[in-house]
Amino acid sequence: MAGSHPYFNLPDFTQPSPPSTPRSLPSHQRCRPSDATKGLLVALLGGGLPAGFVGPFSRMAYQASHFPSLELLICRCLFHLPIALLLKLRGDPLLGPPDVRGRACLHALLNVLSIGCAYSAVQVVPAGNAATVRKGSSTVCSALLALCLESQRLSGYDWCGLLGSTLGLIIIVGPGLGTLQEGTTGLYTALGYVLAFLGGLALSLGLLVYRSLDFPSCLPTVAFLFGLVGLVGSVPGVFMLQTPVLPKDPLSWSCVGAVGILALVSFMCVSYAVTKAHPALVCAVLHSEVVVALMLQYYVLYETVAPSDIMGAGVVLGSIAIITAQNLSCEREGQVEE
């Protein structure tokens, strides 16, 4: 039939294309971002930028209603609990498969400790400085842990970006550490920096544990476990360590709600990104949180931003550009071109 009606013969549409046809297509039609590129972009746009608003909003809630960090952590955990409905609809166990349940709970515990330390730090030190110390320590610890435990190597450009971002953080926080006041005020300030450092260490450990998890519905499972573990550990502490406090005005309620939503988005994006790219590079890209926090600290909270803060933020942004440009690549026909 096809031979007797040549005008109605459509072999190009009814038959598979020959193997040589894809190789003749323009290269840009077959190029797609690599996993590392997608991971870093998700970490930058979905992880670092929303997280930059969390610290200033937390400080605003504390200044307006003296809303303590423990209750803020509880409110954030509440936003994670509805993910249980998704797991139930998919027929997945809420706590994950039995063979990885312990590691999943450990990941949740480390993240709860990291967030608790971060929220406590921003109440006694400027939000930008707290984010700086936390992200700097998480980057250094992630690089060392991945190098020692996973034997993952980084390129020279990656190390240059990591060292540059760390240098930028030192420029930001260095002058403040050198002028700590004596007495109770200085002690609380030093304690805030210590908590921020411990929060970064716990974050790097949590990311490393998450990379070892591999099962269906891993991301929603760990997100739900974060909310569950956070509530179990925080609710008793509210009644034993302090008097429960409720937000006193709409501004405080708005800040608490914004913290919960933005933190959930950042948590999901960072957890996804760390499965696609090196954890140290993900943490380095998350330094964009520091730049956002410094901007909000100056324009919203009306707190002083020193010239060293601006200089350090510029170094951080330059380092993020180096890391992102180095890891931009396309996957084509089973091969990777950088």
Side-chain angles (χ1 to χ4, degrees), residues 28 87 101 111-112 145 164 213 217 243 248 252 265 329 337:
H28 67 274
L87 294 174
R101 191 166 296 170
N111 275 275
V112 169
L145 289 173
L213 301 175
S217 301
T243 301
K248 299 178 180 179
S252 300
V265 172
S329 59
E337 292 187 7

Side-chain angles (χ1 to χ4, degrees), residues 7 31-35 129 177 202 206 217 228-229 232 248 252 291:
Y7 294 101
C31 185
R32 60 187 179 88
S34 65
D35 286 343
N129 289 3
L177 290 177
S217 301
L228 181 62
V229 173
V232 171
K248 299 178 180 179
S252 300
V291 180

Side-chain angles (χ1 to χ4, degrees), residues 54 148 167 276 280 283 314:
V54 172
C148 297
L167 175 62
K276 302 297 182 180
C283 290

Side-chain angles (χ1 to χ4, degrees), residues 60-329:
M60 291 172 62
Y62 178 75
Q63 292 176 345
S65 301
H66 293 283
F67 199 65
S69 59
L70 197 57
E71 294 187 36
L72 190 62
L73 177 59
I74 292 176
C75 293
R76 172 175 175 174
C77 293
L78 291 175
F79 282 87
H80 287 247
L81 295 184
I83 300 178
L85 299 177
L86 175 62
L87 294 174
K88 279 295 185 181
L89 290 176
R90 300 180 58 171
D92 297 323
L94 295 180
L95 304 182
D99 56 332
V100 297
R101 191 166 296 170
R103 280 180 292 163
C105 291
L106 176 61
H107 170 266
L109 178 61
L110 289 171
N111 275 275
V112 169
L113 292 176
S114 175
I115 299 303
C117 291
Y119 288 168
S120 300
V122 297
Q123 294 184 5
V124 293
V125 298
N129 289 3
T132 298
V133 175
R134 180 169 177 258
K135 292 307 178 183
S137 61
S138 66
T139 302
V140 175
C141 293
S142 294
L144 295 177
L145 289 173
L147 184 63
C148 297
L149 300 180
E150 295 186 351
S151 300
Q152 293 187 348
R153 295 183 177 181
L154 296 172
S155 66
Y157 287 99
D158 292 334
W159 280 112
C160 180
L162 287 176
L163 294 177
S165 61
T166 305
L167 175 62
L169 299 180
I170 294 175
I171 293 175
I172 293 174
V173 77
L177 290 177
T179 58
L180 289 179
Q181 300 178 2
E182 297 181 357
T184 306
T185 303
L187 179 61
Y188 279 119
T189 303
L191 179 61
Y193 284 118
V194 171
L195 288 175
F197 174 82
L198 294 178
L201 175 60
L203 174 63
S204 62
L205 290 173
L207 293 178
L208 196 63
V209 172
Y210 182 77
R211 286 172 61 88
S212 67
L213 301 175
D214 185 14
F215 61 92
S217 301
C218 179
L219 185 55
T221 299
V222 298
F224 169 74
L225 282 175
F226 173 86
L228 181 62
V229 173
L231 286 178
V232 171
S234 302
V235 171
V238 170
F239 297 96
M240 292 189 305
L241 301 178
Q242 64 185 44
T243 301
V245 177
L246 290 177
K248 299 178 180 179
D249 50 29
L251 175 61
S252 300
W253 281 108
S254 301
C255 291
V256 171
V259 166
I261 295 174
L262 293 172
L264 177 60
V265 172
S266 179
F267 179 91
M268 301 291 283
C269 291
V270 172
S271 298
Y272 168 82
V274 79
T275 63
K276 302 297 182 180
H278 194 287
L281 300 181
V282 172
C283 290
V285 172
L286 291 178
H287 290 176
S288 57
E289 171 188 344
V290 177
V291 180
V292 176
L294 287 174
M295 294 176 59
L296 294 176
Q297 176 182 324
Y298 181 76
Y299 289 106
V300 178
L301 300 178
Y302 300 106
E303 295 179 352
T304 304
V305 176
S308 60
D309 296 335
I310 300 176
M311 183 185 305
V315 175
V316 169
L317 290 178
S319 302
I320 292 176
I322 292 175
I323 293 174
T324 306
Q326 163 64 14
N327 288 272
L328 285 178
S329 59

